[in-house]
Amino acid sequence: MDLVPNILSKFSFSGNSVAGLILFLVAAFTAVASLVMFFHWKKYGMGGAALALMESLYIGVSAVLIVTAFLTIN
């Protein structure tokens, strides 16, 4: 009955380590989703200058959001 609390009590979690883990998971998910979107944009979407603008805007906004999240955690 007390198995889960006993297991969790053996680990030491700090706020920064949990926040860092969550940030890492979000960044990894964003990277995978970005690769999938870039593939589909190139294969099925538009091309040329519109695609280059969309990709650079997406990368820039994503980078700003993830860096902001990192800076607010630390």
Side-chain angles (χ1 to χ4, degrees), residues 1-11:
M1 196 66 92
D2 295 327
L3 182 63
V4 173
N6 286 339
I7 291 173
L8 291 178
S9 68
K10 303 227 185 292
F11 295 101

Side-chain angles (χ1 to χ4, degrees), residues 10-71:
K10 303 227 185 292
F11 295 101
S12 173
F13 297 110
S14 69
N16 279 344
S17 64
V18 172
L21 176 64
I22 292 172
L23 179 64
F24 172 76
L25 292 174
V26 167
F29 176 79
T30 302
V32 170
S34 297
L35 289 174
V36 169
M37 283 193 301
F38 288 157
F39 170 77
H40 281 93
W41 285 342
K42 286 189 189 291
K43 183 161 177 127
Y44 303 111
M46 58 193 121
L51 180 62
L53 176 66
M54 186 170 41
E55 285 179 343
S56 61
L57 186 64
Y58 176 81
I59 289 172
V61 170
S62 296
V64 166
L65 290 174
I66 290 176
V67 167
T68 302
F70 177 75
L71 292 175

